[in-house]
Amino acid sequence: MSDTTAAVEAATVPAVAEPPSGVVRPRRSGWLRGRTVARSWPALLSWLLLAGLVLVALVGPLLVQGDPLRQTSSALLGPGSAGHPLGTDDLGRDELARLVHGARPLLLVSFAATALAAGVGTLIGLVAGYAGGFVEQVLMRLVDLALAFPSILLVILLVAAAGPGTVSLVLGIGISLAPGLARLARALTAREAARDYVVACRLGGTGAPRILVREVLPNIAGPLLAQVVMTLSIAAGFAAGLSYLGLGIQPPQPDWGYMVQAGQEFLFSAPRLVVLPATLTLLFVVACNFVGDDLRDALDPRGAV
C-alpha cells in the first residue's frame, strides 16, 4: 500500500472524540461510603440510649397500662407500691406512666424544632454560599443579627409572643437555632461551589437549583447531619427549660420539664419526682451530643478511606 493510499484511508476513519481536559465530571457524594459509627463504647452506648429513648416515646404508652392523668386516693406513694412500681406524685398519679407518656412531647418538640431549624438554616446557607456577592451579604447579615441575641432569650421572646403551647415551642426553638446551621451550611456550600465539579455543571448549562440539590447538598450532608444531631440536644434542653418555666407543654399533659417544676416542692420528701425526669432529660441531651460527635468523626472527609 502506498503512502498516499494510507493517508487517504486514515483521513476517512472517524476520530474518537476525547473529552476536554479542563472539564471535570460532577462527583457524587460518598460521605457514607466506607464509614462506620459507634467505634467506641461511649458512642455505642449513646446510640443505644438514644434509640431506647425514642422507642420509649413511640411505643412506651402502648405498653404501660397506667393512666398518667388518673388520680388515686393516696398521694406520694413510695416506689414499689401495689400497682405503682415508681410510686405516685403529690396528686396520686402514677409516676411510671407519667414518665413514659412525658417522653413523647419532649422528643416530638425537639425533633420537630430541629427539623425546622435544619430546613431553614440549610436553605439560607445554600443560597448564600452559592450566590455570593450582594445576596450573601444580605442573608448573612440577617443571620449575624439573629446570632447577636442569646439563643435562650430569643426562644423565650418568640414563645412568649406566640403564647405557650407545642406549636409556638417548635416555631420558637426552630427559628432560634436556624442561624447557627445557616452559617455552617454557607461555609460548606461556598467551599463546594468553588470545586471543579460545580464549575463543570455551570459550564454544561445546569441550573442553580439542580446543582444545589443534586450536587452540592449531598456533598455537604455529612457535616450538616452531625451538627443537626448536636443541635437536637440544644432543642431538647430548650424544650425542657421552657416547660419548666411554664412556657412549654401545658398541664395536665405530662412532660419531663414540667414534672421537674411540679416536683421540686417535694425535693427532700420525694426526690424521685425531680431526679427521674431530670435524669432522663439529661441522658437524652448527653446521648445526642455523643452521637453527634461520633457522626462528625465518621463523616469527616479527612477520615475517609
Short mmCIF file of all heavy atoms in Angstrom, two decimals, residues 102-131:
data_model
loop_
_atom_site.label_atom_id
_atom_site.label_comp_id
_atom_site.label_asym_id
_atom_site.label_seq_id
_atom_site.Cartn_x
_atom_site.Cartn_y
_atom_site.Cartn_z
N GLY A 102 -44.53 11.24 79.23
CA GLY A 102 -43.87 12.53 79.13
C GLY A 102 -42.72 12.56 78.16
O GLY A 102 -42.22 13.65 77.80
N ALA A 103 -42.27 11.38 77.70
CA ALA A 103 -41.16 11.35 76.74
C ALA A 103 -41.60 11.84 75.38
O ALA A 103 -40.85 12.53 74.68
CB ALA A 103 -40.61 9.92 76.65
N ARG A 104 -42.80 11.49 74.97
CA ARG A 104 -43.24 11.81 73.61
C ARG A 104 -43.33 13.32 73.35
O ARG A 104 -42.83 13.79 72.31
CB ARG A 104 -44.59 11.14 73.32
CG ARG A 104 -45.10 11.38 71.90
CD ARG A 104 -46.36 10.60 71.64
NE ARG A 104 -46.13 9.17 71.66
CZ ARG A 104 -47.10 8.26 71.45
NH1 ARG A 104 -48.34 8.66 71.21
NH2 ARG A 104 -46.81 6.98 71.47
N PRO A 105 -43.94 14.13 74.24
CA PRO A 105 -43.99 15.57 73.96
C PRO A 105 -42.61 16.21 73.83
O PRO A 105 -42.38 17.03 72.93
CB PRO A 105 -44.77 16.14 75.15
CG PRO A 105 -45.55 15.00 75.68
CD PRO A 105 -44.70 13.79 75.46
N LEU A 106 -41.69 15.84 74.74
CA LEU A 106 -40.36 16.44 74.69
C LEU A 106 -39.62 16.06 73.42
O LEU A 106 -39.04 16.92 72.74
CB LEU A 106 -39.55 16.01 75.91
CG LEU A 106 -38.12 16.53 75.96
CD1 LEU A 106 -38.09 18.05 76.10
CD2 LEU A 106 -37.34 15.89 77.11
N LEU A 107 -39.65 14.78 73.07
CA LEU A 107 -38.94 14.33 71.87
C LEU A 107 -39.60 14.86 70.61
O LEU A 107 -38.92 15.19 69.63
CB LEU A 107 -38.84 12.81 71.84
CG LEU A 107 -37.58 12.21 72.48
CD1 LEU A 107 -37.53 12.53 73.98
CD2 LEU A 107 -37.53 10.70 72.27
N LEU A 108 -40.93 14.95 70.62
CA LEU A 108 -41.63 15.48 69.45
C LEU A 108 -41.25 16.93 69.20
O LEU A 108 -40.95 17.32 68.06
CB LEU A 108 -43.14 15.35 69.65
CG LEU A 108 -44.03 15.97 68.56
CD1 LEU A 108 -43.80 15.27 67.24
CD2 LEU A 108 -45.50 15.89 68.96
N VAL A 109 -41.26 17.74 70.25
CA VAL A 109 -40.89 19.14 70.10
C VAL A 109 -39.43 19.26 69.68
O VAL A 109 -39.08 20.06 68.80
CB VAL A 109 -41.13 19.90 71.42
CG1 VAL A 109 -40.50 21.28 71.38
CG2 VAL A 109 -42.62 20.01 71.70
N SER A 110 -38.55 18.45 70.26
CA SER A 110 -37.12 18.52 69.94
C SER A 110 -36.86 18.16 68.49
O SER A 110 -36.15 18.88 67.77
CB SER A 110 -36.34 17.58 70.86
OG SER A 110 -36.55 17.89 72.22
N PHE A 111 -37.43 17.07 68.02
CA PHE A 111 -37.20 16.64 66.63
C PHE A 111 -37.85 17.60 65.65
O PHE A 111 -37.26 17.92 64.60
CB PHE A 111 -37.74 15.22 66.42
CG PHE A 111 -36.80 14.14 66.88
CD1 PHE A 111 -36.97 13.53 68.10
CD2 PHE A 111 -35.74 13.74 66.08
CE1 PHE A 111 -36.11 12.53 68.53
CE2 PHE A 111 -34.87 12.75 66.50
CZ PHE A 111 -35.05 12.13 67.73
N ALA A 112 -39.06 18.06 65.95
CA ALA A 112 -39.74 18.98 65.03
C ALA A 112 -39.00 20.31 64.95
O ALA A 112 -38.82 20.87 63.85
CB ALA A 112 -41.18 19.19 65.48
N ALA A 113 -38.57 20.85 66.09
CA ALA A 113 -37.85 22.12 66.08
C ALA A 113 -36.50 21.97 65.37
O ALA A 113 -36.09 22.87 64.62
CB ALA A 113 -37.64 22.61 67.51
N THR A 114 -35.83 20.86 65.58
CA THR A 114 -34.55 20.64 64.90
C THR A 114 -34.74 20.51 63.40
O THR A 114 -33.94 21.02 62.60
CB THR A 114 -33.86 19.39 65.46
OG1 THR A 114 -33.70 19.53 66.88
CG2 THR A 114 -32.50 19.18 64.81
N ALA A 115 -35.79 19.81 62.99
CA ALA A 115 -36.08 19.69 61.56
C ALA A 115 -36.37 21.05 60.94
O ALA A 115 -35.91 21.36 59.83
CB ALA A 115 -37.26 18.74 61.34
N LEU A 116 -37.12 21.88 61.65
CA LEU A 116 -37.41 23.23 61.15
C LEU A 116 -36.13 24.05 61.05
O LEU A 116 -35.89 24.73 60.04
CB LEU A 116 -38.40 23.92 62.08
CG LEU A 116 -38.74 25.38 61.75
CD1 LEU A 116 -39.38 25.50 60.38
CD2 LEU A 116 -39.66 25.98 62.82
N ALA A 117 -35.29 23.98 62.08
CA ALA A 117 -34.02 24.72 62.05
C ALA A 117 -33.12 24.23 60.93
O ALA A 117 -32.48 25.03 60.24
CB ALA A 117 -33.32 24.58 63.41
N ALA A 118 -33.08 22.91 60.72
CA ALA A 118 -32.24 22.35 59.66
C ALA A 118 -32.73 22.78 58.29
O ALA A 118 -31.93 23.13 57.40
CB ALA A 118 -32.20 20.84 59.77
N GLY A 119 -34.05 22.75 58.09
CA GLY A 119 -34.59 23.14 56.79
C GLY A 119 -34.35 24.61 56.47
O GLY A 119 -33.85 24.95 55.39
N VAL A 120 -34.67 25.48 57.43
CA VAL A 120 -34.50 26.92 57.20
C VAL A 120 -33.02 27.28 57.10
O VAL A 120 -32.58 28.01 56.19
CB VAL A 120 -35.17 27.72 58.32
CG1 VAL A 120 -34.88 29.21 58.18
CG2 VAL A 120 -36.68 27.48 58.32
N GLY A 121 -32.21 26.76 58.02
CA GLY A 121 -30.79 27.08 58.02
C GLY A 121 -30.07 26.57 56.78
O GLY A 121 -29.23 27.29 56.20
N THR A 122 -30.38 25.35 56.36
CA THR A 122 -29.73 24.80 55.17
C THR A 122 -30.12 25.58 53.92
O THR A 122 -29.27 25.85 53.06
CB THR A 122 -30.10 23.32 55.01
OG1 THR A 122 -29.70 22.59 56.17
CG2 THR A 122 -29.42 22.73 53.79
N LEU A 123 -31.38 25.95 53.81
CA LEU A 123 -31.82 26.72 52.64
C LEU A 123 -31.11 28.06 52.57
O LEU A 123 -30.60 28.46 51.50
CB LEU A 123 -33.34 26.92 52.70
CG LEU A 123 -33.95 27.75 51.58
CD1 LEU A 123 -33.70 27.09 50.24
CD2 LEU A 123 -35.45 27.95 51.82
N ILE A 124 -31.05 28.77 53.69
CA ILE A 124 -30.36 30.07 53.70
C ILE A 124 -28.88 29.89 53.38
O ILE A 124 -28.30 30.65 52.59
CB ILE A 124 -30.55 30.74 55.07
CG1 ILE A 124 -32.01 31.11 55.30
CG2 ILE A 124 -29.67 32.00 55.17
CD1 ILE A 124 -32.30 31.68 56.67
N GLY A 125 -28.26 28.88 53.98
CA GLY A 125 -26.84 28.66 53.75
C GLY A 125 -26.52 28.27 52.32
O GLY A 125 -25.52 28.73 51.74
N LEU A 126 -27.36 27.44 51.71
CA LEU A 126 -27.14 27.05 50.32
C LEU A 126 -27.23 28.24 49.38
O LEU A 126 -26.37 28.44 48.51
CB LEU A 126 -28.17 25.99 49.91
CG LEU A 126 -27.94 24.56 50.40
CD1 LEU A 126 -29.15 23.70 50.08
CD2 LEU A 126 -26.68 23.96 49.79
N VAL A 127 -28.27 29.05 49.55
CA VAL A 127 -28.46 30.21 48.68
C VAL A 127 -27.33 31.21 48.87
O VAL A 127 -26.75 31.72 47.89
CB VAL A 127 -29.82 30.86 48.95
CG1 VAL A 127 -29.96 32.16 48.15
CG2 VAL A 127 -30.94 29.91 48.59
N ALA A 128 -26.98 31.49 50.12
CA ALA A 128 -25.93 32.49 50.38
C ALA A 128 -24.58 32.01 49.89
O ALA A 128 -23.83 32.77 49.27
CB ALA A 128 -25.87 32.78 51.88
N GLY A 129 -24.23 30.75 50.16
CA GLY A 129 -22.93 30.25 49.76
C GLY A 129 -22.76 30.10 48.27
O GLY A 129 -21.66 30.27 47.75
N TYR A 130 -23.84 29.79 47.57
CA TYR A 130 -23.75 29.59 46.12
C TYR A 130 -23.85 30.91 45.37
O TYR A 130 -23.12 31.14 44.39
CB TYR A 130 -24.84 28.64 45.66
CG TYR A 130 -24.74 28.26 44.20
CD1 TYR A 130 -23.87 27.27 43.78
CD2 TYR A 130 -25.53 28.90 43.24
CE1 TYR A 130 -23.77 26.92 42.45
CE2 TYR A 130 -25.45 28.56 41.90
CZ TYR A 130 -24.57 27.57 41.51
OH TYR A 130 -24.47 27.23 40.18
N ALA A 131 -24.74 31.80 45.81
CA ALA A 131 -24.93 33.06 45.09
C ALA A 131 -23.78 34.03 45.31
O ALA A 131 -23.30 34.67 44.38
CB ALA A 131 -26.25 33.71 45.50
#
